[in-house]
Amino acid sequence: MRTLRGQKNLQDIRQTGGDGVGGSPLRPDGALKVRGEFAYSSDLWHEDMLWGTALRSPHPRATIRSVDVSEALRLPGVYAVLTHEDIPGSKYYGLEIQDQPVLAIDKVRHHGEAIALVAADHPETARRAVERIRVEYEVLTPITTEEQCLDPETHGHVHEPHEYRSHGHGNICHEQRLVSGLGVTDEVRAMADVTVSGSYEVGMQDQAFLGPESGLAVPAEDGGIDLYIATQWLHVDRRQMAPVLALPEERIRLTLAGVGGAFGGREDLSMQIHAGLLALRTGKPVKIVYSRDESFFGHVHRHPARMTYEHGATRDGRLVFADCRIVLDGGAYASSSPAVVGNAASLGHGPYVIPNVRMHAIALYSNNPPCGAMRGFGAVQAAFGYETQMDKLAAALGMDPVELRRLNAMAEGDRLPTGQRIDSPAPVAELLRRVKDMPLPPPLDPDRPDIRRLPGALSNTSHGEGIVRGVGYSVGIKNVGFSEGFDDYSTARVRLEVIGGEPVAMVHTAMAEVGQGGVTVHAQIARTELGVEQVTIQPANTEVGSAGSTSASRQTYMTGGAVKLAAEAVRQALIEKGRRRYGWTHHDLTLSAGTVVSASAGPLVAMVDLLGDDAIDLTREHHHRPTVPFDKETGQGSGHLQYSFCANRAVVDVDVELGLVKVVELTAVQDVGKALNPLSVVGQIQGGCAQALGLAVMEEIVVKDGKVRNASFTDYLIPTILDTPPMPVELLELPDPHAPYGLRGVGEAPTVSATPSIVAAIRDATGLALHRIPVRPEHLTTEAPGAR
């Protein structure tokens, strides 16, 4: 086992291992972004470019009686106004289920749904034209609550019965049941000496990326489209666009533009089809850039959840059963809700050995904003439920909450409630031990508190009165990669040639670089496998095979694996070239420092001499081990590729008089298998913890009667540098034998596990029950009604 510690000496991390695998070379785009010189998709420009925008519904549920665009068309500078009647192909699209109209047809199902498009010679002209479009609505009562959704006879359907096609029944988009062991019966309950139960809620979180949705569509001479776009999955964007634009996929060419954050919010389409429709209609390039409020309506969010949990244990703390129900509000359209339900059901018990489990997870259709992928993908909501239950159970048993978790922790060889055996390291108990053993920050000095570090310090609200410190722990589990039988693969092309007297490797993939650092890691892999220093990364586009989505913590595993395979093939081809030319019989050949080297005979020939004017250019696909769908009724099946585990400790100070929270420190210990770039890995863990902090104490899209009430960064609060505490990170490297380099996806696990630790620390400080997140100030004062 090798342990790396982050944050205390990042310079040492950066220098370890050079510029290959295991080192921490700096990001090629890092300095440009810090200086404000990086070109994002919103910076795109084209001569004779038009600006596009959309008319969006002010109602969450309504029937459209008529749409009159005549006044908009009369406005000088307007080139096109489109409604659903102008769509040349299919009028529906969807990431998994084609249930979402490109433009509303005869009804709107959520606040902000697009109804019409405008292209004009100036963005202000386009906005004014949208204001001139007249829509006659019959406003209907929105279906927004779980109770309303599950009673369609009284409240109606979000999608009418004839529209259900293959995606559910009633207002249920998808559901998954799971039963393991004996399930949960009266007999099983009788085996437990202690039981605890609770109901929990998670609010709707936004990805809150800083770069709004934007892109540029350029009509091509062949009648197709060249689209420059900030996205997470180029090839699936194209697959969804082609039927709507009535074009073959090969005439839709996508190139990744600079992405200002994603976190799942760019996995679905936003303005891709809209820009393409306007460009084809006008014959001119069309640029669309969302405003911040439009961005809140233009992408999916994290599913809000209502959950009920019951756990039983023996007197000595051994878990006997878990009975769980998770209801996710998927909003108006399916997006990736079915997969989110699968994750919630299969991971909703936590990283614990539980002999008997019953789970029912549901995603509902409603007239609330559509929800889909966000970092943690179903596991985040569940972790708040099961980790709160672990603290409740520990209190009921009089046990230390960390020791209760360690007693029941999964390990390699154990089986999940799905029946899948964990066949790679699962050091859950070790992670918990290490996070508990890490040094605590110094305690508050009640006589001389540093008021700069107190809750509300920037507003000078406290001089130390009513401040209470708390400590909380948690651990989480997250799957890596796509699941349930999806043929997840990635493609990479690697070329080796001599340029300027040096061997140079070129790497070309369709991986969407959204900030995760894949462009850095791909160069590291090429350097390691090919023994070269110079590596160029080609722009990501659809000219190469699919790299899959930048989501599910999968890109380093999948596209990194593809780059490794392609580079290995190039290396072998170069060595075979040398065998043919020089008659080598060595079996210990490799490439190092620009030279073909034999471990026994030493350097043999410079790569530049062996290559000459030739180039070796090879493409490879990387497929992971097969998975299977979960049985719909029992939830049994080896549905996931790999599991990632992270443990956290949070230290908080709470002003119990004002309800203010200061996270003093947030510590993480995570098994990463193999840290290909330790500095980047530490950054990913710290970033995931920061998003978890936001969900714990501040981030929520407020939706009332289907309407979004805070679609701005003034009213939707995200953590800033002033809210972000020190985040010590410790990395364990326990290789997964089935993964490239033994690596393990890391980006999502800390977002799953950190939120419960923060809330647990607040409970420790206040003694309040806190069954809902985010925790608001009104929940925390000593007079908080019903909170104890």
Side-chain angles (χ1 to χ4, degrees):
M1 181 190 300
R2 183 161 73 99
T3 300
L4 299 169
R5 288 215 172 176
Q7 181 150 320
K8 291 190 176 180
N9 196 340
L10 295 184
Q11 186 64 34
D12 289 346
I13 289 179
R14 186 177 300 122
Q15 293 175 349
T16 301
D19 287 346
V21 168
S24 291
L26 298 182
R27 298 175 56 110
D29 55 354
L32 293 172
K33 289 177 176 176
V34 170
R35 293 196 299 261
E37 298 171 359
F38 184 80
Y40 290 97
S41 56
S42 55
D43 299 314
L44 294 165
W45 194 265
H46 199 288
E47 186 179 1
D48 200 25
M49 180 180 73
L50 301 178
W51 295 80
T53 192
L55 170 69
R56 296 182 178 274
S57 170
H59 309 293
R61 186 185 184 204
T63 299
I64 298 175
R65 296 302 186 192
S66 64
V67 180
D68 183 355
V69 303
S70 58
E71 287 299 314
L73 284 168
R74 292 191 186 100
L75 189 66
V78 172
Y79 280 72
V81 182
L82 307 181
T83 69
H84 74 91
E85 294 178 347
D86 300 297
I87 296 173
S90 172
K91 297 188 179 186
Y92 291 87
Y93 71 97
L95 189 62
E96 296 187 23
I97 298 164
Q98 288 69 55
D99 64 348
Q100 186 161 356
V102 176
L103 295 169
I105 299 172
D106 56 357
K107 62 186 70 176
V108 292
R109 295 185 176 88
H110 70 91
H111 184 200
E113 183 159 8
I115 296 172
L117 305 173
V118 171
D121 58 6
H122 190 277
E124 183 62 20
T125 303
R127 186 189 66 79
R128 289 166 54 210
V130 160
E131 292 176 349
R132 294 188 178 202
I133 300 172
R134 298 289 174 256
V135 182
E136 181 184 354
Y137 298 99
E138 178 188 349
V139 179
L140 305 173
T141 302
I143 304 165
T144 60
T145 68
E146 176 186 347
E147 292 74 18
Q148 290 172 331
C149 292
L150 294 178
D151 185 10
E153 295 299 322
T154 302
H155 300 283
H157 300 90
V158 177
H159 295 267
E160 294 304 319
H162 66 274
E163 297 174 317
Y164 294 160
R165 293 183 289 278
S166 62
H167 62 267
H169 54 83
N171 289 325
I172 296 177
C173 174
H174 189 74
E175 60 184 325
Q176 176 68 61
R177 298 180 186 273
L178 184 150
V179 179
S180 70
L182 300 174
V184 180
T185 64
D186 290 342
E187 291 78 8
V188 169
R189 283 191 170 91
M191 299 177 193
D193 298 311
V194 176
T195 62
V196 296
S197 61
S199 297
Y200 308 101
E201 291 187 34
V202 179
M204 184 185 293
Q205 187 181 20
D206 189 66
Q207 294 85 354
F209 39 72
L210 296 186
E213 291 85 345
S214 51
L216 176 68
V218 182
E221 292 182 357
D222 64 355
I225 286 286
D226 291 295
L227 179 64
Y228 303 87
I229 184 68
T231 183
Q232 289 180 242
W233 197 345
L234 291 164
H235 286 76
V236 163
D237 284 3
R238 182 175 68 172
R239 188 192 72 197
Q240 294 177 84
M241 292 174 67
V244 178
L245 300 181
L247 290 172
E249 288 189 15
E250 60 269 19
R251 284 166 60 187
I252 302 174
R253 294 164 290 271
L254 276 67
T255 299
L256 187 72
V259 182
F263 313 113
R266 301 186 200 269
E267 196 166 50
D268 294 77
L269 294 181
S270 57
M271 42 64 63
Q272 288 92 322
I273 294 176
H274 293 170
L277 287 169
L278 290 171
L280 289 174
R281 172 58 69 94
T282 63
K284 289 178 175 290
V286 174
K287 177 177 179 176
I288 295 179
V289 180
Y290 283 2
S291 62
R292 180 56 59 189
D293 62 335
E294 190 174 17
S295 179
F296 274 91
F297 295 114
H299 64 256
V300 298
H301 315 289
R302 187 187 301 286
H303 293 74
R306 294 175 65 180
M307 305 175 289
T308 57
Y309 275 87
E310 182 184 12
H311 283 81
T314 59
R315 188 71 59 192
D316 62 357
R318 295 283 180 183
L319 290 170
V320 174
F321 73 86
D323 196 3
C324 327
R325 185 173 189 267
I326 299 175
V327 180
L328 303 167
D329 186 345
Y333 299 108
S335 181
S336 55
S337 287
V340 174
V341 166
N343 271 15
S346 59
L347 305 175
H349 46 76
Y352 305 111
V353 177
I354 310 176
N356 307 290
V357 173
R358 180 171 63 182
M359 165 70 75
H360 186 197
I362 311 171
L364 300 174
Y365 281 121
S366 73
N367 292 121
N368 292 317
C371 293
M374 185 175 173
R375 193 177 197 165
F377 205 79
V380 165
Q381 297 90 328
F384 176 61
Y386 63 68
E387 285 299 271
T388 302
Q389 285 286 103
M390 290 302 103
D391 285 338
K392 277 189 176 183
L393 190 57
L397 290 165
M399 290 184 67
D400 179 275
V402 173
E403 292 311 308
L404 174 69
R405 288 171 167 87
R406 293 188 66 204
L407 179 66
N408 294 284
M410 288 179 176
E412 185 172 4
D414 286 333
R415 291 191 181 273
L416 287 87
T418 61
Q420 183 169 4
R421 188 176 69 85
I422 300 176
D423 60 358
S424 63
V428 179
E430 177 67 8
L431 297 176
L432 286 161
R433 183 190 69 79
R434 287 175 177 249
V435 79
K436 188 174 183 180
D437 288 348
M438 291 181 77
L440 284 162
L444 284 170
D445 183 345
D447 298 321
R448 302 184 63 184
D450 184 347
I451 63 172
R452 296 170 300 175
R453 301 184 183 277
L454 295 178
L458 296 177
S459 301
N460 196 27
T461 59
S462 172
H463 290 180
E465 311 90 345
I467 306 298
V468 185
R469 176 159 290 187
V471 180
Y473 295 88
S474 63
V475 65
I477 180 173
K478 176 65 178 66
N479 66 306
V480 174
F482 295 151
S483 306
E484 297 197 59
F486 190 92
D487 182 17
D488 192 7
Y489 73 94
S490 188
T491 312
R493 173 182 166 225
V494 173
R495 180 181 176 90
L496 183 64
E497 60 187 325
V498 177
I499 300 177
E502 290 188 69
V504 177
M506 179 276 290
V507 177
H508 187 193
T509 77
M511 179 206 68
E513 173 59 63
V514 302
Q516 81 278 14
V519 291
T520 312
V521 168
H522 291 177
Q524 291 178 254
I525 293 171
R527 291 189 191 104
T528 295
E529 300 300 332
L530 295 175
V532 298
E533 182 60 32
Q534 298 299 318
V535 181
T536 62
I537 304 295
Q538 292 290 99
N541 54 38
T542 50
E543 293 180 6
V544 67
S546 176
S549 175
T550 301
S551 61
S553 304
R554 62 174 291 283
Q555 278 293 4
T556 302
Y557 191 121
M558 295 304 301
T559 305
V563 173
K564 183 176 186 289
L565 288 177
E568 288 171 340
V570 168
R571 181 183 67 210
Q572 189 58 35
L574 182 64
I575 289 172
E576 290 304 316
K577 182 182 178 74
R579 291 188 192 279
R580 292 191 299 271
R581 179 180 296 180
Y582 300 111
W584 295 331
T585 58
H586 307 80
H587 297 288
D588 56 0
L589 301 178
T590 189
L591 307 180
S592 178
T595 305
V596 181
V597 177
S598 165
S600 56
L604 298 179
V605 65
M607 290 163 59
V608 293
D609 295 330
L610 182 54
L611 276 167
D613 295 331
D614 295 337
I616 301 174
D617 193 324
L618 296 172
T619 299
R620 292 292 184 270
E621 283 186 0
H622 177 216
H623 294 250
H624 66 59
R625 296 186 296 164
T627 59
V628 300
F630 296 120
D631 182 90
K632 291 297 295 178
E633 294 302 318
T634 67
Q636 298 301 294
S638 296
H640 295 307
L641 166 66
Q642 187 191 61
Y643 296 93
S644 183
F645 305 94
C646 182
N648 293 92
R649 183 188 66 204
V651 180
V652 305
D653 287 338
V654 182
D655 186 326
V656 295
E657 295 176 359
L658 299 177
L660 301 178
V661 175
K662 172 73 174 179
V663 181
V664 176
E665 184 179 90
L666 185 54
T667 303
V669 182
Q670 185 167 336
D671 172 27
V672 301
K674 166 69 177 177
L676 271 60
N677 185 312
L679 182 63
S680 179
V681 166
V682 169
Q684 282 289 303
I685 294 171
Q686 291 173 333
C689 287
Q691 282 192 307
L693 185 156
L695 179 60
V697 296
M698 63 180 68
E699 290 190 48
E700 182 177 10
I701 297 178
V702 178
V703 182
K704 185 174 177 59
D705 297 326
K707 289 193 174 185
V708 176
R709 300 297 188 180
N710 60 333
S712 73
F713 279 173
T714 300
D715 299 310
Y716 181 89
L717 303 179
I718 59 174
T720 69
I721 191 66
L722 297 175
D723 303 296
T724 306
M727 294 183 180
V729 175
E730 185 171 332
L731 308 180
L732 270 65
E733 291 188 295
L734 304 177
D736 179 348
H738 311 287
Y741 298 112
L743 67 87
R744 193 178 302 275
V746 301
E748 293 176 287
T751 305
V752 173
S753 58
T755 295
S757 70
I758 296 169
V759 182
I762 299 171
R763 289 194 196 98
D764 184 52
T766 65
L768 301 175
L770 303 179
H771 54 76
R772 189 186 191 281
I773 50 174
V775 177
R776 296 172 178 162
E778 61 265 30
H779 301 155
L780 294 178
T781 61
T782 52
E783 294 81 18
R788 291 190 181 275

